[in-house]
Amino acid sequence: MHLPLTSQIINLLAALLLLLSFSMLTQRRILSLINLFALQGLTLTLAILVVAWSTGQHHLYYSAALTFVLKVLVLPGVLHRLIRKLNVKWDVETLINIPTTMLVGIALVILAFNVALPISQLAGTIAKSTLGIALACVLLAFLTMITRSKAVPQVIGFLAMENGLVFAATSATYGMPMVVEFGIALDVMVGMVILGVFFFQIRERFESLDIRHLEKMKDE
Amino acid sequence: MNWQLYLVLGTPLLGGILLALWGHKTWAADLNIAMSVGTFISAAALTAQIISAGPLITADEQFFVDSLNVFLVALTAFVSMTTSLFSRPYMRIELALGKLSDNRLRLFHSMYQLFIFTMLVVLLTNNLGILWVALEAATLTTVLLVSLYRTPASLEAAWKYFILCGVGIAQALFGTILLYSASQKVLGSGGGALLWTHLETAAGSLEPTVMSLAFVFLLVGYGTKVGLVPLHNWLPDAHAEGPTPVSAILSGLLLNVALYALLRCKVLVDGALQAPFASHLMMGFGLLSVVVAAFFLSKQKDVKRMFAYSSVEHMGLVTFAFGMGGPVANFAGLLHMTLHSLTKSAIFFAVGHAAQKTRTQIMDDIRGLIKVSPTVGWGLMLGSIAILGVPPFGVFASEFLILTTAMRLQPWATPFLLIALGVAFAAVFSKVQPMVFGETNAKRLPHPPALVPVFAHLAIVLALGFYIPPYLVDWYRVAAKLIG
């Protein structure tokens, strides 16, 4: 079966996104994690650009620009500044059981493909076959969040999840209406600012950014 | 011109900006009250207009008001007004006790108004995308409110709240994307395909498979904010660690608003599927919430946590009622939503002052409130009795309606509901009784407590138990019909 070149490129970029999600899942150094996140943002921008170019959906160019500015320039920049100020730049997290995490990740990908299958068949967009990958990225980012015990990687997982959602919107519907996309971007920005403030307060109170210190509150 | 609508949205937004600048002044609490009263008056004007002139679509179809959301707008504006009345003395006492600085007070006032603003946007918008954005913004403002005291426990609660609701609401965004992909085929791309009024007319031709999957994601997402079990983990922490006015509006308003978002989506899914898929899911989650929360009630030591679990229980009951559907169950659900809002916020007002008097939130250390302050003691006692569904309070009427409808439509669920309500009664009553009566350890407060809001709410709940005015009945009926 021969696919047009643009679809092939989109599929390639989608595969790259999935690969990056997996590498974020197992990356132990915070600095590398941020770089991977920036790279994921760049791949996402390229994917949106290719979809925009091949379908002639002009508002997707704005969406790509927004993604580029926010996910490649601003947020990684803010995160770099934060880890420098918090002195956690060279932190290495001890992740237990990377092989198990990977296996769970693979199971999630299979699940995502199965869930997305009926929708992909119905969607009429050029990137419809990648909806499964988008859902897989969301689920893998979620897994990244719950396997981490430090605050900064948790937030990166949260932002990666948002990347997956943007990709889902692009592949299923050629993006959301512009006003909604701006709203989402605004929420992400404000959320990031609040979290930045939070990091400092958590560290001030607990002298660490390890969320495991925060586990006193339980239902006895 | 729909000046009422713009006034409803503009007043709290303006309040948020003004209080961001001057929220630390001595008159900031009065400005907060003035803004909230202004919002309530505009909401009342909007309500009057909708009742006399019917549904309203305005601003390039971006805003949509019908009987269902105008009723919640009025409720939101009312409870936020009384909460602002309560927060004036409450925050003043907290300041005197040294729990807050001026800057924090400014943050509190500003975020309070912006929180009200975001909730009103959720209620009034016609665009399901904007609805999502505003609900996420509501999460962000409340994260700042929950962490206001900056204690380790409050930071933990806020972090948990942010992460759990963030993940939840991301699922809701995925659901919204799926919904958009289904509607795009019918309504064409562009802004129109996310407008609820367009979606509702085209609901019958939306792709059923995509819609049912979208609803699963939307239910998980918005259900996290409603506090449905097993997604409720953030709720007790956020309620217990935030300032009490925040607990009152979280329980009384935010949970309703999130449930409203879910209801709007349910209508679309029902229209597309012509099968009770969404209803079954909502009944399941609702019933589970009622039962689990009821059994957690008796284990609680912190008074605010206990009433937070009680909120989970009641939201579960309302979700179950809407899941059953039909005119009677929907009517009962809407009535219960109203009464729960009013009663629970009244309880939190009383609990807040009780905790200030005894300097603790641990129930074993709160004793004999009635001796030092009969009003706080009676407020807590009557509020608890009301929320437990004792006649003649209104909650009895709505719970009775939900139960009798359940017996008729879903008889299998009735024993679970009855057992859960019984367990909840035993748990809450046995804990509140010694807090109110007996020997005391409470101290006097540096400022007189706010009691008008407590008794105003309880009086309305009591009055609704005896007599629901005919125009209110009509209004609920029309709203119940909109949900289907």
Side-chain angles (χ1 to χ4, degrees):
Chain A
M1 189 174 79
H2 277 287
L3 287 168
L5 185 64
T6 44
S7 311
Q8 287 190 31
I9 297 176
I10 294 166
N11 284 346
L12 177 70
L13 289 169
L16 270 178
L17 274 179
L18 189 62
L19 202 62
L20 283 168
S21 297
F22 264 108
S23 51
M24 285 172 85
L25 188 60
T26 50
Q27 181 53 252
R28 292 185 300 180
R29 282 178 51 204
I30 289 185
L31 188 65
S32 313
L33 197 59
I34 297 175
N35 291 338
L36 281 174
F37 169 68
L39 201 59
Q40 199 189 34
L42 190 65
T43 318
L44 180 62
T45 312
L46 288 176
I48 301 174
L49 275 178
V50 176
V51 175
W53 182 74
S54 61
T55 59
Q57 298 275 336
H58 287 288
H59 72 273
L60 277 180
Y61 287 114
Y62 298 112
S63 169
L66 196 65
T67 308
F68 184 73
V69 172
L70 199 64
K71 304 288 174 49
V72 183
L73 301 179
V74 177
L75 289 177
V78 171
L79 285 166
H80 273 297
R81 264 178 66 95
L82 267 175
I83 59 167
R84 208 169 45 241
K85 277 200 177 166
L86 290 164
N87 261 329
V88 291
K89 194 170 176 181
W90 305 110
D91 263 26
V92 177
E93 237 184 314
T94 43
L95 290 179
I96 37 159
N97 247 337
I98 291 182
T100 319
T101 319
M102 288 290 249
L103 283 177
V104 175
I106 292 169
L108 283 179
V109 174
I110 296 171
L111 176 79
F113 272 73
N114 277 317
V115 169
L117 197 64
I119 306 167
S120 298
Q121 283 168 347
L122 293 164
T125 54
I126 183 170
K128 61 181 184 180
S129 52
T130 52
L131 187 66
I133 294 191
L135 185 58
C137 288
V138 173
L139 293 177
L140 285 176
F142 179 51
L143 189 63
T144 312
M145 275 178 83
I146 56 177
T147 51
R148 302 301 173 123
S149 63
K150 294 216 162 108
V152 179
Q154 277 194 353
V155 168
I156 296 174
F158 181 69
L159 294 170
M161 189 149 73
E162 219 266 326
N163 272 348
L165 288 168
V166 172
F167 189 58
T170 313
S171 61
T173 66
Y174 295 146
M176 304 290 271
M178 250 358 250
V179 54
V180 179
E181 291 217 4
F182 274 116
I184 295 169
L186 185 75
D187 276 347
V188 171
M189 276 303 290
V190 174
M192 195 59 219
V193 171
I194 294 175
L195 285 173
V197 178
F198 249 59
F199 287 154
F200 289 99
Q201 281 162 4
I202 290 178
R203 213 197 27 180
E204 196 184 314
R205 290 287 168 192
F206 300 98
E207 286 166 1
S208 156
L209 274 174
D210 199 325
I211 303 299
R212 271 173 299 188
H213 291 289
L214 302 184
E215 281 185 357
K216 292 187 202 93
M217 218 181 267
K218 289 226 174 90
D219 288 308
E220 53 276 5
Chain B
M1 267 307 279
N2 303 297
W3 53 272
Q4 296 98 331
L5 181 89
Y6 295 114
L7 222 53
V8 167
L9 292 172
T11 317
L13 182 62
L14 180 72
I17 295 166
L18 290 180
L19 287 161
L21 297 169
W22 297 300
H24 55 291
K25 306 269 190 211
T26 41
W27 42 265
D30 304 293
L31 181 62
N32 193 24
I33 292 173
M35 283 305 186
S36 305
V37 172
T39 312
F40 177 64
I41 293 171
S42 342
L46 181 68
T47 312
Q49 193 209 359
I50 298 300
I51 288 178
S52 65
L56 169 80
I57 302 180
T58 186
D60 204 16
E61 299 189 276
Q62 289 300 318
F63 292 108
F64 167 61
V65 199
D66 63 5
S67 305
L68 174 60
N69 58 4
V70 85
F71 131 77
L72 281 166
V73 167
L75 183 66
T76 304
F78 178 73
V79 175
S80 67
M81 176 179 75
T82 47
T83 308
S84 74
L85 285 172
F86 160 75
S87 79
R88 183 174 178 267
Y90 182 85
M91 293 317 262
R92 205 171 264 188
I93 296 167
E94 295 289 276
L95 207 59
L97 294 176
K99 281 180 144 181
L100 281 173
S101 65
D102 280 350
N103 261 333
R104 300 277 160 74
L105 198 62
R106 189 168 72 183
L107 183 72
F108 169 78
H109 282 132
S110 175
M111 285 303 140
Y112 182 84
Q113 289 291 332
L114 287 180
F115 177 47
I116 306 299
F117 169 71
T118 53
M119 282 195 296
L120 291 169
V121 173
V122 173
L123 292 174
L124 290 169
T125 185
N126 189 18
N127 187 326
L128 289 176
I130 298 297
L131 183 147
W132 183 89
V133 170
L135 205 54
E136 170 73 2
T139 312
L140 294 175
T141 51
T142 35
V143 163
L144 287 173
L145 286 172
V146 168
S147 67
L148 194 75
Y149 291 137
R150 303 280 199 264
T151 56
S154 72
L155 280 175
E156 179 187 346
W159 183 264
K160 205 167 167 183
Y161 176 42
F162 181 86
I163 293 293
L164 280 176
C165 281
V167 170
I169 207 125
Q171 310 301 318
L173 181 59
F174 194 76
T176 312
I177 291 170
L178 289 180
L179 196 113
Y180 183 55
S181 80
S183 71
Q184 213 183 18
K185 283 225 215 65
V186 183
L187 297 166
S189 57
L194 269 181
L195 294 182
W196 190 83
T197 39
H198 291 205
L199 284 164
E200 199 216 359
T201 44
S205 44
L206 296 174
E207 176 56 51
T209 340
V210 182
M211 287 303 280
S212 49
L213 195 61
F215 186 75
V216 173
F217 280 99
L218 288 164
L219 179 67
V220 170
Y222 293 140
T224 311
K225 289 218 82 139
V226 182
L228 297 177
V229 174
L231 312 159
H232 68 290
N233 265 325
W234 62 274
L235 195 142
D237 297 346
H239 278 67
E241 299 308 327
T244 308
V246 176
S247 319
I249 45 175
L250 276 178
S251 246
L253 302 178
L254 181 70
L255 307 185
N256 281 353
V257 170
L259 188 57
Y260 163 82
L262 196 58
L263 278 180
R264 283 288 192 209
C265 299
K266 177 183 179 266
V267 174
L268 300 178
V269 178
D270 282 347
L273 261 63
Q274 305 296 341
F277 172 73
S279 302
H280 285 165
L281 276 178
M282 283 178 78
M283 276 195 287
F285 272 100
L287 193 61
L288 188 68
S289 308
V290 176
V291 174
V292 173
F295 280 94
F296 266 110
L297 276 172
S298 62
K299 289 188 185 171
Q300 300 310 312
K301 297 195 168 68
D302 183 311
V303 58
K304 277 163 85 179
R305 279 184 85 88
M306 183 179 77
F307 283 113
Y309 272 105
S310 152
S311 292
V312 174
E313 182 210 337
H314 286 276
M315 290 322 280
L317 198 60
V318 177
T319 311
F320 179 79
F322 288 136
M324 285 194 292
V328 184
N330 285 338
F331 179 94
L334 291 170
L335 184 64
H336 197 71
M337 242 168 149
T338 317
L339 294 168
H340 173 252
S341 273
L342 294 169
T343 318
K344 193 51 70 64
S345 40
I347 290 176
F348 273 115
F349 298 157
V351 163
H353 281 313
Q356 282 180 328
K357 276 179 188 296
T358 51
R359 311 277 195 272
T360 176
Q361 285 177 199
I362 306 297
M363 283 185 277
D364 289 343
D365 299 335
I366 304 176
R367 285 290 176 261
L369 286 170
I370 216 153
K371 284 214 168 136
V372 246
S373 166
T375 40
V376 171
W378 278 114
L380 181 58
M381 195 69 211
L382 290 175
S384 306
I385 289 176
I387 203 71
L388 290 170
V390 175
F393 286 100
V395 181
F396 172 74
S398 56
E399 283 187 352
F400 187 75
L401 262 181
I402 294 176
L403 275 174
T404 46
T405 320
M407 281 175 205
R408 203 157 42 80
L409 298 176
Q410 312 286 343
W412 58 274
T414 328
F416 295 107
L417 288 175
L418 280 174
I419 290 171
L421 290 178
V423 170
F425 187 92
V428 174
F429 195 78
S430 67
K431 297 211 171 190
V432 169
Q433 199 267 345
M435 280 161 67
V436 174
F437 301 104
E439 287 307 309
T440 187
N441 56 355
K443 301 179 187 69
R444 288 192 64 81
L445 293 175
H447 296 280
L451 293 159
V452 177
V454 182
F455 290 100
H457 281 197
L458 290 178
I460 298 174
V461 174
L462 186 63
L464 285 176
F466 283 114
Y467 173 70
I468 306 176
Y471 64 87
L472 207 57
V473 175
D474 289 342
W475 187 9
Y476 280 134
R477 278 216 184 106
V478 176
K481 208 177 283 169
L482 287 170
I483 311 169

